[in-house]
Amino acid sequence: MAHSYYGKSAHFFFNGDFSGEVTIISNPLEIDSVEIKVDAQDILDLVARHLRAELIENIEQMDTKEILKLISR
């Protein structure tokens, strides 16, 4: 099933399970818009890398009680 997301500067078209390719159209309302296709896994990897870095930073800022509470969940 195809899904879409309309961002500020691009439109994204993708499968609901993020398989296959994502079609990205930059500046869709402009004459010089560009369409590219990107493997969905590349986008997932990019987002995961960013979230991993944020999680690590947050964990490094936690005190002992916060760490133990996190682990006990």
Side-chain angles (χ1 to χ4, degrees):
M1 176 183 279
H3 292 268
S4 58
Y5 169 74
Y6 300 98
K8 292 179 184 176
S9 64
H11 291 178
F12 300 80
F13 301 93
F14 53 93
N15 294 325
D17 63 356
F18 288 100
S19 64
E21 293 181 326
V22 175
T23 300
I24 304 169
I25 302 174
S26 68
N27 302 313
L29 301 177
E30 302 293 326
I31 287 182
D32 62 347
S33 68
V34 175
E35 178 178 320
I36 63 167
K37 294 184 185 293
V38 178
D39 189 304
Q41 189 62 49
D42 289 341
I43 294 174
L44 293 172
D45 291 343
L46 173 67
V47 171
R49 182 178 181 166
H50 173 72
L51 292 175
R52 184 181 307 115
E54 278 190 354
L55 286 170
I56 290 169
E57 184 178 333
N58 289 340
I59 290 170
E60 289 176 340
Q61 302 302 316
M62 289 180 174
D63 63 22
T64 301
K65 287 182 180 181
E66 290 171 318
I67 292 288
L68 293 175
K69 187 184 286 186
L70 179 69
I71 292 171
S72 68
R73 291 184 186 179

